[in-house]
Amino acid sequence: MIYHVFNASHDEALASGNENFTLPAAARHIDNDLALLPYWYASSGECVLVPHEAEARDFTENLPVKRNVVIADDFSGAPPSAIEPWGWNALLVRMLEKRGVPRQVMPDNGFLQLVRRLQSRETVSEYLPVLLQRLRTACRDGKDVFSGESHFVRTLDELHETPAFISGRYIMKKPWSGSGRGIFAASGADSERADKWCAATIREQGGAEVQALLENHGDCAAEFHINPDGTASLTGYSYFSTAGKGAYAGNTVKPHVENDIRLKLGPAAFALDATVSALSLTLPEVLRGYSGPVGVDMMICRNDNENGNIGLFPCVEINLRRTMGMVAAALTPLIAPGSTGRYLILYERLPEDMKQKCHALAESQPLATDKGKILQGYLPLTPVNAETHFHACLTVEHITEDK
């Protein structure tokens, strides 16, 4: 039996580098509250590991959409032949070993160390100049549409020498951190405060990534699977939105969402296909030794050249794990023709507020289906109880011809 485990705490676990790390409360909450999320992307006959089996079963039995996925809160039903987590790290392996999962069905320590090393944002700093050079050579007539700058610094002197720092518009990121965390946006900040943040990050994690701060016009990603034979397979596209400091806010869910990305890029639409082609050819070498899901975040931006035209920052982040964009792609077959969905992760500090928010969504956006597809309305993807802080849902709008 293949078991899926949702561990969005993966990024925090990598940052710690310690298999005995104690997850912060927020990370524990999101892992527990969204534990059922793999139900929507697991293959038929596979199993999703949840903390409360009875609650999850009751929730799925009352859904208008049914999937042939097993739900369990332990491994007693069938021994695991494989584990499919959100992402692999030493903390997860230790936790699963304690629950009786045989070590041989999980990656060895060498693979875990490789994942942590490659997940460091230093990988982007090393890869981005190579990728940009390849793209600008391949697209000579449109080379100006590709932008981006990334430097990995280990001292304040190195920080001060980066072109992004000198320009006064830059972002610093910790080598390992989760969505929207571990980021310092320096535009308008005094240099003393920036130096303190960078020095603390260098002491904590050995360095910091510095990226040019560009005018964001949209976030997107290309999703891949790196195969054991050293090839990369494109599995889909992601068109998503972010909140403050880059925190994930939601995904557009519709067939051929890449067309929306091209539309946003306008005359620079060719940059998407060129980037995906270059990534497909070069990622396996950059990530040599790794196999599994990979998401490469990009940014539609106003370029920092003299024309100031709309272009593409082709590699903002590399995530060696599943991504919310992959979940959105798995939800796409649920959408009826002529409708568009939004995949959302909601958060409330108080569980009672979450219950009220979800009730209001269900009341204001009743679910309507047509031929087994969702035409419009609110579909909860994970259960809500008296302790829920995080909730995943899909809201769908039907676009009529006169809109």
Side-chain angles (χ1 to χ4, degrees), residues 47 66 123-124 139 159 205 247 268 292 298 300 371:
C47 183
K66 300 292 191 295
T123 299
V124 171
C139 306
L159 167 66
Q205 295 194 11
M298 312 174 202
I300 302 167
K371 298 178 182 178

Side-chain angles (χ1 to χ4, degrees), residues 27-217:
R28 295 196 302 273
H29 284 315
I30 195 169
D31 283 356
N32 286 331
D33 293 350
L34 305 185
L36 191 60
L37 202 56
Y39 176 84
W40 301 100
Y41 58 79
S43 296
S44 178
E46 295 179 344
C47 183
V48 178
L49 192 70
V50 297
H52 307 294
E53 180 179 336
E55 177 192 60
R57 285 182 180 275
D58 181 66
F59 173 79
T60 56
E61 286 170 2
N62 288 285
L63 285 171
V65 178
K66 300 292 191 295
R67 304 200 70 240
N68 181 31
V69 174
V70 181
I71 295 170
D73 56 13
D74 59 32
F75 300 99
S76 61
S81 59
I83 303 292
E84 291 287 344
W86 191 254
W88 279 114
N89 59 72
L91 174 62
L92 176 66
V93 168
R94 183 183 67 84
M95 292 170 62
L96 291 174
E97 279 189 301
K98 284 186 173 182
R99 299 191 65 175
V101 176
R103 189 65 176 84
Q104 61 265 29
V105 304
M106 296 185 284
D108 60 25
N109 290 335
F111 182 85
L112 299 177
Q113 292 167 6
L114 176 73
V115 169
R116 186 173 189 270
R117 177 176 65 80
L118 292 175
Q119 186 60 70
S120 167
R121 290 189 168 105
E122 186 174 6
T123 299
V124 171
S125 295
E126 293 174 348
Y127 178 48
L128 181 63
V130 177
L131 179 63
L132 285 171
Q133 179 62 39
R134 185 184 187 99
L135 289 169
R136 288 166 178 164
T137 301
C139 306
R140 291 187 182 278
D141 292 339
K143 62 181 181 180
D144 289 345
V145 306
F146 298 104
S147 280
E149 178 187 328
S150 174
H151 305 274
F152 196 82
V153 301
R154 293 180 173 82
T155 66
L156 290 182
D157 285 343
E158 290 180 359
L159 167 66
H160 299 158
E161 292 170 0
T162 63
F165 178 88
I166 294 169
S167 74
R169 289 183 54 80
Y170 60 99
I171 294 176
M172 292 186 291
K173 301 180 180 181
K174 293 183 177 182
W176 298 277
S177 65
S179 172
R181 295 182 294 276
I183 295 176
F184 184 98
S187 178
D190 62 83
S191 59
E192 183 179 352
R193 190 157 58 93
D195 282 359
K196 286 182 178 178
W197 188 95
C198 188
T201 298
I202 291 170
R203 287 194 301 271
E204 177 188 348
Q205 295 194 11
E209 184 199 13
V210 185
Q211 287 189 351
L213 181 61
L214 302 176
E215 186 179 309
N216 190 331
H217 284 252

Side-chain angles (χ1 to χ4, degrees), residues 256-279:
H256 306 296
V257 73
E258 64 270 23
N259 290 336
D260 285 19
I261 301 171
R262 294 189 181 102
L263 185 63
K264 189 71 174 180
L265 281 165
F270 70 90
L272 180 64
D273 294 333
T275 298
V276 168
S277 177
L279 291 170

Side-chain angles (χ1 to χ4, degrees), residues 236-372:
Y237 295 85
S238 171
Y239 192 25
F240 63 99
S241 56
T242 55
K245 292 189 176 181
Y248 176 78
N251 259 89
T252 299
V253 182
K254 62 185 296 189
H256 306 296
V257 73
E258 64 270 23
N259 290 336
D260 285 19
I261 301 171
R262 294 189 181 102
L263 185 63
K264 189 71 174 180
L265 281 165
F270 70 90
L272 180 64
D273 294 333
T275 298
V276 168
S277 177
L279 291 170
S280 298
L281 293 171
T282 57
L283 275 178
E285 180 61 29
V286 174
L287 306 179
R288 178 185 290 270
Y290 173 81
S291 62
V294 174
V296 179
D297 290 353
M298 312 174 202
M299 183 170 67
I300 302 167
C301 59
R302 188 168 298 283
N303 286 331
D304 52 357
N305 54 37
E306 60 183 17
N307 296 322
N309 54 327
I310 296 297
L312 189 67
F313 189 157
C315 182
V316 179
E317 303 269 0
I318 301 177
N319 295 303
L320 281 75
R321 54 167 171 77
R322 294 186 188 274
T323 68
M324 290 301 178
M326 295 175 190
V327 180
L331 296 170
T332 300
L334 302 178
I335 306 297
S339 295
T340 297
R342 286 287 294 167
Y343 165 59
L344 304 169
I345 303 296
L346 307 180
Y347 169 77
E348 290 291 344
R349 187 175 64 85
L350 299 176
E352 183 59 36
D353 291 343
M354 179 61 76
K355 291 179 70 174
Q356 292 177 6
K357 175 179 284 187
C358 294
H359 178 74
L361 281 169
E363 289 287 316
S364 63
Q365 301 183 48
L367 197 68
T369 61
D370 179 42
K371 298 178 182 178

